[in-house]
Amino acid sequence: MTQRVSKAGNIKYALSANDAFVAAVSPGETFVVECAINANDGTIRHLGQQLTEADVSLPFVNGATGPIEVKGAKAGDMLKLEILGMELDTLGFTALWPGIGMFPDWVRQKEFGMRTHVVEVKDGVVHWSDKVKLPVRPMIGVAGVAPVHGGVLTVDNGTHGGNLDVQEITPGNTVMFRVNHDGAHLFLGDCHALQGDGEANGMGAIEIAATLTVRVTLEEAPARLAHPRIETPTHICTLGCARPLEDAMRIAFQEMIYWLEDDYGIPAAEGYMLLGQIAEARCTQVVNPKYTYICKVDKSVLAQFAG
């Protein structure tokens, strides 16, 4: 029977190696993880609802289920997380919240005030209004392992993963992390039914509870694997997490140059020039303590180097 990791009592607000494992899985095992909505679980109850200050306790948001032990994982391994499926709840929301988002008024904390837009999600559609229907594009916002030292809040991100908010962390794709502690300490949460690039308004995605079906495997980590990587059926992808935005972009491109040289035999200088022609790159979110940038390379280009 497929193991199911309940969200009840297992939601954390920091990725850390200090919490007791809530479950244990073996490499190659398919398992299910319940993820809470990005607010107190059960807070979103009906269309038209408006969140209040009591409903959200910043920075204790983006709760993630975990830590999940990956049996046999050792520091220096690479954890590969295959996302096999996502089952979404039927109610999600997006919101404006003073102090967060693309245009925060740091001094007065006023902006547009608190505004919540609760939506119905069903039949593969986000029902924005009676007239406007948006196709669902489910994704996992928080995915990662315990960092090298201490804990990192689930609003933040880094070399360990965390609150990456990358649309490519979606069913059919595989995410790769460097393991920093025995057991890996895997965390998953902050799922979205839909998110635009930049996640501009802070609670900018359609935040939603979800049930994930995933599988993990272990390999020896590449020597120059620093930030998380993603593989899709058509692309390889590298991520950079940093501020300012330019540094996040530089890290993502640097990580891709390393991958091209180490795995595809493309010398760094040539890889750098190649990215100038073929890179598909963008900032996926600008609202977390560190921005996330993705660099993508089409596998059809890389296949030509193997010939």
Side-chain angles (χ1 to χ4, degrees), residues 176-197:
M176 290 156 269
F177 307 96
R178 178 178 288 276
V179 174
N180 301 305
H181 297 273
D182 291 355
H185 301 255
L186 175 66
F187 295 81
L188 297 167
D190 182 35
C191 297
H192 303 159
L194 184 63
Q195 178 193 299
D197 287 338

Side-chain angles (χ1 to χ4, degrees), residues 222-279:
R224 294 197 283 183
L225 171 68
H227 281 68
R229 297 176 177 179
I230 302 170
E231 184 170 2
T232 82
T234 59
H235 289 75
I236 62 171
C237 318
T238 50
L239 306 180
C241 302
R243 282 196 184 219
L245 182 58
E246 294 92 330
D247 283 353
M249 181 179 181
R250 289 184 183 110
I251 290 169
F253 275 63
Q254 173 181 271
E255 293 289 309
M256 181 59 75
I257 291 168
Y258 290 161
W259 197 352
L260 295 178
E261 185 168 46
D262 295 342
D263 285 19
Y264 297 90
I266 303 173
E270 183 180 358
Y272 186 12
M273 290 188 288
L274 184 66
L275 290 183
Q277 323 313 314
I278 67 168

Side-chain angles (χ1 to χ4, degrees), residues 74 76-80 177-178 217-223 225:
K74 301 292 184 185
D77 287 343
M78 178 172 68
L79 174 66
K80 299 179 74 171
F177 307 96
R178 178 178 288 276
T217 53
L218 296 170
E219 296 180 8
E220 182 180 352
L225 171 68

Side-chain angles (χ1 to χ4, degrees), residues 57-107:
S57 301
L58 295 169
F60 302 104
V61 293
N62 297 350
T65 303
I68 300 167
E69 178 185 12
V70 180
K71 296 177 184 178
K74 301 292 184 185
D77 287 343
M78 178 172 68
L79 174 66
K80 299 179 74 171
L81 173 73
E82 298 176 67
I83 306 165
L84 305 177
M86 293 183 66
E87 179 184 344
L88 303 180
D89 200 356
T90 56
L91 282 181
F93 79 96
T94 189
L96 299 178
W97 205 267
I100 65 171
M102 197 170 179
F103 308 110
D105 183 336
W106 292 108
V107 178

